[in-house]
Amino acid sequence: MSYQPPFTITSKMLSLVSDIVEIITDIKHIETNLKTPKLRKKNRVKSITGTLQIEGNTFSEEKVTNVINGITVLGTMREIAEVQGAIKAYEHFDNYVYKKEKDLLLSHKLMMEKLVSSAGSYRHTNVGVGDQNGVTHVAPPALAVPELMGNLFEWLQNTKDHPLIVSCVFHYEFEFIHPFEDGNGRVGRLWQSVILNQYKKIFGFIPIESVVREHQASYYKALEASGSAGESTPFIEFMLEIILKTLKNASNESVPKNVPRNVPKNRLNEILKLIEKNKEITSIQIAERLKVSDKTIKRDMATLKEQGRLQRVGSLKSGHWEVLDDEQ
């Protein structure tokens, strides 16, 4: 592998990756809720709305939903074309192979075919990226783009780094190269989600782009900070924080709203009943029986120990649990 994007693995990154992996495990029990057609459509609308609003599109989630449903909406021709393009690009979400450069070009073609004549092709002109204060980043020359993108995909195909970090590195490097005439932000955010989706399917059901929109100013600051640093480290840390926030939001939103208020107390009693039947039972086995996460059960067992209703006898490896009262 000849090209290695510059970045530094930091303790903050490792901590965030650990937290993300933990929460992915923790929300396994609600993954079915996230995959319901209604919730998936809602989150897809959030993704499309968020990524377009970052680029200045004024359409709300309601208006994007109307476009999806074929309902006439008021808006400029360009805004409507942006929404229609994003819908087409995200409809292919599960079919993209993130390591294939031709699939990324296809996503750009679908996203931008009504907006630019060069949709699906790399730019042939030099560009600068800027804001109201002027140019903030001069992208590499157009002639260098094919080689740079080829190198980036070669790295993507061969890297052994954690997929969570890889997705962030690719996102930054892609924006740095700025390979297209227009639509780079949209495609970069989409492709990070595609990489994450092929790491864990849960990422196909959560709207990371929407959370980026909520932290848009910080998003651009992280891009600029990485540009100044000459490596993607600040951007990786920022995007890992965004991924963690998105997962936490998904966990909170996917808990059924009609759960009885006495469920936690009932669950404590159910834990004690299971332990009375099998003193060697593990927290993982209890979690599977009660259809909650291992983290939740460990928290409940800590509560039971604090209440003086449960104790551990012997070591974690060879000991067993004992119920200290018979109050059920």
Side-chain angles (χ1 to χ4, degrees):
M1 184 169 61
S2 57
Y3 176 67
Q4 174 62 44
F7 65 92
T8 304
I9 299 294
T10 65
S11 58
K12 181 177 180 179
M13 279 185 210
L14 295 176
S15 177
L16 286 165
V17 168
S18 176
D19 289 345
I20 290 168
V21 171
E22 182 177 351
I23 197 169
I24 289 173
T25 302
D26 195 37
I27 65 177
K28 277 287 185 182
H29 64 289
I30 63 165
E31 197 166 336
T32 301
N33 295 340
L34 289 170
K35 291 181 178 179
T36 60
K38 182 177 181 180
L39 188 55
R40 185 172 193 186
K41 181 178 180 180
K42 176 184 176 183
N43 285 335
R44 181 57 51 81
V45 167
K46 284 185 174 183
S47 291
I48 292 171
T49 306
T51 201
L52 291 178
Q53 286 183 350
I54 291 171
E55 305 302 326
N57 191 294
T58 64
F59 272 38
S60 64
E61 290 177 21
E62 181 181 1
K63 292 183 77 171
V64 170
T65 301
N66 286 340
V67 175
I68 291 174
N69 293 335
I71 299 172
T72 302
V73 296
L74 294 176
T76 66
M77 291 181 63
R78 180 173 182 84
E79 284 190 317
I80 293 172
E82 287 175 345
V83 173
Q84 291 172 335
I87 291 169
K88 284 186 178 181
Y90 277 84
E91 282 177 348
H92 283 70
F93 187 85
D94 292 319
N95 298 323
Y96 298 126
V97 177
Y98 77 87
K99 293 183 178 182
K100 291 186 176 181
E101 190 173 359
K102 67 175 184 178
D103 280 12
L104 180 133
L105 291 169
L106 171 62
S107 74
H108 184 262
K109 180 176 176 59
L110 295 171
M111 184 85 73
M112 304 299 295
E113 61 184 346
K114 291 186 177 182
L115 299 163
V116 294
S117 59
S118 59
S121 300
Y122 293 137
R123 59 182 166 87
H124 298 290
T125 58
N126 296 335
V127 298
V129 184
D131 54 25
Q132 66 272 21
N133 298 317
V135 176
T136 58
H137 169 59
V138 177
L143 290 175
V145 168
E147 181 180 358
L148 291 172
M149 290 302 297
N151 290 340
L152 183 57
F153 269 93
E154 181 186 1
W155 168 78
L156 190 60
Q157 292 158 9
N158 294 288
T159 181
K160 302 301 181 185
D161 291 310
H162 195 287
L164 288 166
I165 292 176
V166 169
S167 72
C168 301
V169 173
F170 183 91
H171 188 164
Y172 174 76
E173 291 289 323
F174 178 88
E175 301 303 341
F176 178 85
I177 297 169
H178 225 67
F180 298 116
E181 176 187 340
D182 193 11
N184 294 285
R186 277 162 273 186
V187 174
R189 290 184 290 273
L190 168 62
W191 217 248
Q192 175 162 18
S193 292
V194 170
I195 295 171
L196 290 170
N197 180 55
Q198 293 187 28
Y199 162 56
K200 296 290 184 183
K201 291 300 181 184
I202 189 72
F203 287 105
F205 306 96
I206 59 175
I208 293 175
E209 297 89 338
S210 176
V211 180
V212 172
R213 170 66 181 90
E214 294 171 4
H215 299 82
Q216 182 173 342
S218 298
Y219 172 69
Y220 285 124
K221 284 182 181 178
L223 285 169
E224 291 176 10
S226 287
S228 298
E231 59 175 56
S232 56
T233 303
F235 186 75
I236 298 169
E237 293 178 343
F238 169 78
M239 283 305 305
L240 289 175
E241 290 177 335
I242 290 294
I243 292 168
L244 182 60
K245 287 176 183 177
T246 308
L247 286 166
K248 287 181 177 179
N249 290 346
S251 178
N252 293 334
E253 290 176 4
S254 300
V255 174
K257 293 182 172 58
N258 59 348
V259 174
R261 292 184 180 180
N262 63 343
V263 162
K265 181 178 179 181
N266 288 344
R267 190 169 60 233
L268 295 180
N269 291 334
E270 290 298 320
I271 291 171
L272 294 175
K273 288 178 182 178
L274 290 171
I275 291 173
E276 285 185 328
K277 291 178 181 178
N278 178 10
K279 293 183 178 181
E280 283 76 36
I281 194 169
T282 66
S283 60
I284 294 176
Q285 291 171 329
I286 294 173
E288 290 174 350
R289 291 286 297 275
L290 299 185
K291 293 181 170 48
V292 296
S293 70
D294 180 37
K295 182 179 178 181
T296 296
I297 293 302
K298 287 179 178 177
R299 186 169 57 243
D300 288 347
M301 293 173 84
T303 298
L304 287 168
K305 286 192 287 184
E306 290 174 2
Q307 293 176 351
R309 303 175 67 189
L310 182 69
Q311 72 175 9
R312 183 73 181 177
V313 177
S315 69
L316 290 175
K317 184 175 181 180
S318 59
H320 64 272
W321 294 102
E322 280 195 3
V323 176
L324 299 179
D325 68 7
D326 58 358
E327 178 187 352
Q328 300 297 333

